[in-house]
Amino acid sequence: MVIDGLPAEFVLGKDGKPPRKAFMEAMPYTQSLLANGMAIGYHAKAAPPTVTMPRLKAMVSGAVGGFLDVAFNFNTQALLDDNLLGQFFSIGWKMVMLGDETWLKLFPGLFTRQDGVGSFFVKDTVQVDQNVSRHLGDELSRDDWNLLILHYLGLDHVGHIGGRNSVLMAPKLLEMDQIVKIIHTSIIQMQESDQGNMLLLVVSDHGMTESGNHGGSSSEETDSLALFIGLRNHVSDYASATRNTAHQVDIAPTLALLFGVPIPKNNIGVLISETFDSLKDDHRLRALELNSWQLLRLLQAQSLGLSCGNIPCNGLNDSKTSGTVECNGSSKKMLCCLYMNAAVLHNSWKSEQVSEGEAYRSTVAAYHKFLKTASEWLSGRATDKSVNVLASGVAAMLLSCLIFLSLILHMCREVKQEKKQHLSNLDSHSQFWHLEETFVLGVIFILAISMTSSSMVEEEHYIWHFMTSTLYLLLLRKTAQFLLADSRLFKGQSINLKVQMSFVFVLLISGRILRGWHQGGVNWTYLPDISKWLEQGGNDVVKAVQLVSGVMVIFVSLYALSFFGSKKMIVQMVGINFSIVGLLVLQYVMKYQDNTFAPSSDVSTLLAQIIYAILGSATVGTVIVIPWLIPLHLSYMGSSHNIYLSTLVPKDVKKMSPLMEMRDSLYVIGWSYIVCWCFLQLMLQQPINSMPILLLLVQIITTMLYSSYGGLHLEEWVEVSALCFLGMAGHFALGNSNTLATIDVAGAFIGISSHSTLLSGILMFSITYASPMLALLSMVVYISVKSYLVVPQNVGSEHLLKTMLGFPCLVPLGINSILLTAYTTVLLLMRNHLFVWSVFSPKYLYVCATTVCIYVGVAVVAATGMYTYLVLTMRKRNQVSIINDAR
């Protein structure tokens, strides 16, 4: 019986203390079994990643998986490794499976009867378990099966929705306790009628954090349960039944030996010795011997140089010595020595050369010492891969990194040359490196170095928040220096600099609020933060914040569009679209997100699908149509300053620039991307994250205004880097971290009526990378804002796209390439580190996912720019052709 997500702490307590009173009262029958010595429980430590599929594989095969299993968890493939179910099937057992369909994907064709349920509809906490229990009575009355697997998902779903302290947790525990009671009652009746013996093993695949998530390596997530009921061993007291520890992989050899089938050949687990207390001494030693032989064969398979004297499969029966030796030296020699000692002592016990009690205890201790040492060594070998293959991968990444950096340097040289040619009055100081430019490079270097520290990986959010705030302080310093030092400034330029300073203050204040919204990372999440304070105020407070945030997002969106001065009809059309979508999103979050503990209704799912459809069609429609609607002849004489038209640009450039149409199109398209993405996040994110979404939008528009007023005082690659830093700081401000436990699974199924791995995966990715993707999408607006400054007046069309798209596309790719290469190298060096599975591996998954996010975002920016350019070029050519024909 698998109770998905059940922490052992809920049943067995923690640190020698019993479970909380509410949990004990919720499982009275299970607690009575433990108190009466009829059950024995274990804190079975699960290895990361703590997600269902690799944990099931560990329990049935005894093997340690890898972090790629996180991806396979959403698209499970058949398990080809040797495993318990395959062994049972080979001896003719009939097996029945009810519950999580992951079992059916792992073991296709092995079950006589089956009824699988989807595991990813986390809103469903009731029907998903009723679909399992409805068959239970009928199956218990049958005698045509040898193994019955029940996998209940409801408790895990309760955790995802409301956390450990959800109001639904105690009722769900009581429901599971009733199932245990039904099954155990059936066991008693079977034993009384001499119909055979039955063992009930209640396990959990993983635990959960306080927020109900899992996937990482914290003690709360790895604290899984293994509860044996029906072993006929006599436990003396409640403490003896609840204060036991084991590893999750130990379940596989234990069950194999209890039921007399071969231990799976890739097992690294050690049998749980207390489960064999009812057996005779020779049978218990035989079980230890079989487990030792299996681990020894695995050691020899994974270490070709390991040889322990060609020990026969029947032990050392011909040996007449009972002496053991001290084991030291290399790992291989020590492992052989430990095994030989155990085998010699076992042989001595068989020969009865020493008193039975002393020999037995010494043999058991020797076997356990070998088994523990061998298991630990094999666990460490799980990260051993071909160094040549890994090094070639790093070399390919390094080559890619050098290519990106060379392209960026080439762009920098070209921009400097063009500035000298077309803007002769450029400040002479711009020819030298400035503090903010050195700082950006320093940030990248610090990030790369910090990845070598497990603590810095766990608390990476501190780096991003500190570096982003410091960078904007440096920009504030630079703006103030221009304002105070240059007496040649015109009045309008002086006002612009003062406005720029106010923008930096807005960025710093909003950044500080975002920094305090969630207490991120791993080690300090219990500290108070703004989100906890608001949640303590109750659901009404959170809803009020959510409503204000949604309304403000709509207002800020319309405000951003109001800067557009080309064609008011376009502004009105796009603004109406924004308003309609915004109101629908507000209706959804206010009406349906409040019903947290109920499955998604058909009405809420339909409304969510309507919102998706409108968001998608509005965004795609804007991208396709706007370049065709923008007027080709624009006049900006007398135009006041706005976000995309600087007073620093000469009037002849305003009149004659060929970039005006492209600039206007990208401005509208860019804000369509930004606003629609924000509306999507308001619907998908947790309600408490609505205000951070608004603050991120405010930061984006403030950054655009700063760039608009900034002229050429700041290098374009520095501004693009600042946007990238802003996106990563926002990533952690939304509650994300480098542990898989902070991934929001619940939002990934909003608007999905039937399970789809692809759709739910896309939504989960969108939720996790909401802020970095928002920063990348804002590059389209940034290109519009800076196009009239960075592109010379008479630039050729072949040079246009490269100049406009160069830095916004290459800088994010270059920064990501440096960090990806650096961290891949770190992971290669740390592959034998103590925290390789718990810290470095999940971080690497995030690095790879961030790479996907960067490439997708850059592809959208580049495709948008190219499409807009091609359409406008074609329209201009057609117009010139018409004019020439008319002449």
Side-chain angles (χ1 to χ4, degrees), residues 461 465 509-520 525 527-535 541-542 544-546 549 685-696 729-730 732-736:
H461 60 289
H465 286 300
I509 294 171
S510 58
R512 185 61 189 88
I513 297 174
L514 286 169
R515 163 66 187 86
W517 199 265
H518 286 287
Q519 192 60 248
T525 54
L527 294 177
D529 53 41
I530 299 175
S531 64
K532 294 188 183 75
W533 177 65
L534 290 175
E535 287 172 339
V541 174
V542 176
V545 172
Q546 202 173 8
S549 301
Q685 295 278 346
Q686 293 290 336
I688 199 65
N689 278 344
S690 56
M691 183 60 72
I693 294 297
L694 170 63
L695 292 174
L696 288 172
F732 292 103
L734 289 172
N736 295 294

Side-chain angles (χ1 to χ4, degrees), residues 637-672:
M637 294 185 64
S639 173
S640 61
H641 183 96
N642 55 50
I643 190 172
Y644 63 94
L645 191 60
S646 174
T647 54
L648 298 177
V649 182
K651 288 185 178 181
D652 58 338
V653 174
K654 295 179 185 178
K655 294 179 184 178
M656 302 173 61
S657 173
L659 306 174
M660 294 301 181
E661 299 88 352
M662 190 168 181
R663 183 205 64 189
D664 293 343
S665 299
L666 291 179
Y667 182 80
V668 178
I669 293 172
W671 274 109
S672 297

Side-chain angles (χ1 to χ4, degrees), residues 15 180 205 328 383 387 421 442 467 536 731 777 797 866 874:
D15 299 329
V180 172
D205 49 353
N328 48 43
T383 57
V387 177
Q421 294 175 8
M467 295 302 178
Q536 289 174 355
H731 172 72
L777 294 176
S797 58
M866 292 175 66
M874 183 180 67

Side-chain angles (χ1 to χ4, degrees), residues 589-790:
V589 299
M590 299 306 295
K591 187 173 182 180
Y592 297 109
Q593 278 196 355
D594 191 29
N595 199 9
T596 307
F597 302 114
S600 299
S601 65
D602 292 339
V603 178
S604 65
T605 300
L606 178 61
L607 179 57
Q609 291 173 349
I610 291 173
I611 294 174
Y612 292 152
I614 297 177
L615 278 174
S617 58
T619 306
V620 174
T622 302
V623 173
I624 294 175
V625 172
I626 288 298
W628 295 95
L629 298 181
I630 289 292
L632 294 180
H633 295 287
L634 304 176
S635 176
Y636 295 96
M637 294 185 64
S639 173
S640 61
H641 183 96
N642 55 50
I643 190 172
Y644 63 94
L645 191 60
S646 174
T647 54
L648 298 177
V649 182
K651 288 185 178 181
D652 58 338
V653 174
K654 295 179 185 178
K655 294 179 184 178
M656 302 173 61
S657 173
L659 306 174
M660 294 301 181
E661 299 88 352
M662 190 168 181
R663 183 205 64 189
D664 293 343
S665 299
L666 291 179
Y667 182 80
V668 178
I669 293 172
W671 274 109
S672 297
Y673 284 149
I674 292 171
V675 176
C676 289
W677 186 256
C678 288
F679 285 145
L680 179 66
Q681 295 306 318
L682 284 176
M683 189 171 68
L684 297 179
Q685 295 278 346
Q686 293 290 336
I688 199 65
N689 278 344
S690 56
M691 183 60 72
I693 294 297
L694 170 63
L695 292 174
L696 288 172
L697 179 60
V698 169
Q699 285 191 323
I700 292 297
I701 191 172
T702 306
T703 303
M704 296 303 126
L705 287 165
Y706 178 89
S707 300
S708 170
Y709 279 82
L712 290 170
H713 296 306
L714 195 62
E715 291 291 339
E716 188 183 0
W717 69 270
V718 174
E719 291 183 333
V720 174
S721 299
L723 269 175
C724 294
F725 294 172
L726 202 69
M728 286 306 300
H731 172 72
F732 292 103
L734 289 172
N736 295 294
S737 70
N738 286 327
T739 174
L740 301 179
T742 52
I743 294 177
D744 184 10
V745 179
F749 302 94
I750 293 176
I752 299 180
S753 54
S754 60
H755 174 61
S756 169
T757 302
L758 178 62
L759 293 178
S760 58
I762 291 173
L763 290 179
M764 193 181 303
F765 183 85
S766 301
I767 296 170
T768 306
Y769 286 93
S771 180
M773 187 60 75
L774 179 63
L776 289 168
L777 294 176
S778 69
M779 295 293 178
V780 178
V781 178
Y782 177 80
I783 293 170
S784 170
V785 169
K786 300 295 287 188
S787 61
Y788 56 87
L789 292 174
V790 300

Side-chain angles (χ1 to χ4, degrees), residues 90-336:
S90 65
I91 63 172
W93 274 28
K94 304 296 182 183
M95 295 177 285
V96 179
M97 202 295 299
L98 307 172
D100 187 353
E101 63 184 3
T102 303
W103 290 90
L104 305 180
K105 296 176 181 179
L106 283 173
F107 309 104
L110 296 189
F111 299 109
T112 304
R113 289 185 298 278
Q114 60 192 38
D115 186 9
V117 298
S119 59
F120 295 103
F121 288 99
V122 296
K123 289 284 187 179
D124 181 7
T125 63
V126 179
Q127 193 64 41
V128 70
D129 286 345
Q130 291 179 353
N131 288 339
V132 179
S133 299
R134 63 182 178 177
H135 302 286
L136 185 58
D138 178 57
E139 292 296 342
L140 291 176
S141 65
R142 291 173 175 259
D143 59 359
D144 62 345
W145 53 263
N146 304 97
L147 174 65
L148 173 62
I149 298 173
L150 309 171
H151 192 138
Y152 288 92
L153 294 162
L155 188 138
D156 181 65
H157 293 184
V158 169
H160 279 299
I161 296 172
R164 283 190 172 209
N165 299 316
S166 167
V167 296
L168 295 182
M169 189 60 75
K172 181 55 67 175
L173 288 172
L174 181 60
E175 180 185 348
M176 295 297 100
D177 187 64
Q178 291 298 316
I179 302 301
V180 172
K181 181 178 181 180
I182 292 171
I183 299 173
H184 187 247
T185 303
S186 176
I187 293 176
I188 296 174
Q189 293 174 352
M190 181 176 294
Q191 292 175 345
E192 289 177 349
S193 59
D194 293 328
Q195 294 180 0
N197 297 324
M198 186 186 296
L199 170 67
L200 170 61
L201 175 57
V202 182
V203 298
S204 60
D205 49 353
H206 51 74
M208 64 174 67
T209 62
E210 285 297 322
S211 61
N213 292 320
H214 54 86
S217 59
S218 67
S219 58
E220 292 87 0
E221 296 164 86
T222 59
D223 184 30
S224 64
L225 174 70
L227 182 67
F228 293 84
I229 304 173
L231 281 175
R232 293 186 176 179
N233 53 345
H234 302 287
V235 183
S236 58
D237 55 17
Y238 182 80
S240 301
T242 58
R243 297 181 184 179
N244 307 295
T245 59
H247 288 88
Q248 197 174 63
V249 290
D250 298 341
I251 294 174
T254 301
L255 291 181
L257 293 167
L258 282 173
F259 290 101
V261 297
I263 300 173
K265 63 181 181 181
N266 291 320
N267 162 72
I268 65 168
V270 178
L271 62 84
I272 302 173
S273 57
E274 293 85 357
T275 60
F276 294 86
D277 284 348
S278 61
L279 302 182
K280 295 179 180 180
D281 288 350
D282 59 337
H283 291 168
R284 297 179 67 185
L285 287 178
R286 178 61 175 168
L288 290 167
E289 184 180 37
L290 290 170
N291 197 180
S292 299
W293 284 348
Q294 179 266 322
L295 287 184
L296 182 64
R297 287 195 296 269
L298 188 59
L299 286 168
Q300 292 172 334
Q302 295 198 11
S303 182
L304 299 178
L306 182 66
S307 175
C308 297
N310 297 320
I311 301 166
C313 291
N314 60 350
L316 297 177
N317 293 332
D318 296 332
S319 176
K320 300 298 181 184
T321 178
S322 61
T324 59
V325 297
E326 186 69 25
C327 297
N328 48 43
S330 65
S331 298
K332 295 178 182 179
K333 291 181 179 180
M334 185 175 66
L335 289 168
C336 277

